[in-house]
Amino acid sequence: KRLGMVIGDVVGKGIAAALLMANLQAILRSQCAIALDRPQDVLRAVNRLFCESTLEGGFATLFFAEYDETTRRLRYVNCGHLCALLLRADDEVERLDATGTVLGLFEKWDCEMGERTIASGDVFALYTDGITESFDANDEEFGEERLLTALRKNRDLSPCDAINAVVAEVGRFSPSEQRDDITMIVAKGR
């Protein structure tokens, strides 16, 4: 009856960035297994371990969310990642901004927990900057407003189909070679 969602982005590109992300993923998985009910404690430990195992200047943004289906409660910690978007059934938008800073830069690190209730018809979206920072031929960014428009237009689709529709729209907007990875999670309140 509970679902965890995590999305992150590391500094850099190529093999070095891939290794940094693999390291972060391994640390996160090991810590989640031992402290399931204490997300803030988990992320403090993740930051400490990530700091210890990362070269100076290496860091990551991360959005950690836990959804309890029974209570419809979404608890989250946003570690310097792009704001998550909560598109309410009445079309209002809530931005789930940072509640802590990035992981891996500071040994003394803390975060706050945010909380929202997810209602039927709400759409929750996590994404990386590869979506919003995709550029067209005029060097204009896709941006958050276009992302919101795409989510609104595709809100009645299944989450998987909505992701595919958004990614296709980004591809039409920015048909040249991608500058960054595109990652997205969409969940819908039932």
Side-chain angles (χ1 to χ4, degrees):
K1 300 287 183 180
R2 291 183 359 187
L3 172 68
M5 294 172 274
V6 177
I7 195 166
D9 202 0
V10 297
V11 65
K13 305 244 185 279
I15 293 175
L19 291 172
L20 193 59
M21 182 54 82
N23 182 35
L24 177 59
Q25 184 180 30
I27 291 169
L28 187 62
R29 283 185 177 184
S30 71
Q31 294 305 301
C32 282
I34 55 176
L36 189 61
D37 288 327
R38 298 183 317 272
Q40 289 170 289
D41 291 344
V42 167
L43 292 170
R44 285 183 198 106
V46 167
N47 181 71
R48 181 181 48 78
L49 292 167
F50 197 53
C51 275
E52 291 171 3
S53 63
T54 302
L55 295 175
E56 190 171 324
F59 67 91
T61 66
L62 184 118
F63 193 102
F64 178 96
E66 175 197 66
Y67 177 69
D68 184 327
E69 185 180 8
T70 307
T71 62
R72 302 181 79 83
R73 180 181 69 176
L74 178 81
R75 296 187 316 161
Y76 68 92
V77 176
N78 181 344
C79 307
H81 195 73
L82 297 169
C83 66
L85 298 173
L86 181 54
L87 181 58
R88 296 292 189 178
D90 66 2
D91 222 27
E92 288 296 314
V93 176
E94 293 182 33
R95 289 167 177 80
L96 283 57
D97 291 317
T99 61
T101 191
V102 298
L103 298 172
L105 281 182
F106 310 105
E107 288 183 28
K108 291 187 182 211
W109 182 92
D110 207 358
C111 62
E112 293 184 25
M113 180 83 65
E115 189 172 309
R116 296 290 190 280
T117 300
I118 305 295
S120 180
D122 290 348
V123 176
F124 177 66
L126 297 170
Y127 56 95
T128 59
D129 59 4
I131 290 179
T132 52
E133 294 178 8
S134 289
F135 293 88
D136 67 5
N138 299 320
D139 221 27
E140 185 177 340
E141 281 188 344
F142 188 76
E144 184 184 284
E145 284 308 313
R146 283 186 180 89
L147 173 57
L148 279 168
T149 299
L151 286 169
R152 283 184 175 112
K153 184 167 66 173
N154 296 292
R155 74 177 310 142
D156 293 329
L157 299 177
S158 71
C160 187
D161 289 341
I163 290 169
N164 290 335
V166 170
V167 171
E169 198 151 325
V170 171
R172 285 188 296 276
F173 178 83
S174 180
S176 60
E177 184 177 339
Q178 254 178 258
R179 296 181 189 181
D180 205 352
D181 62 295
I182 291 178
T183 306
M184 185 171 204
I185 298 171
V186 172
K188 294 175 72 173
R190 297 191 279 171

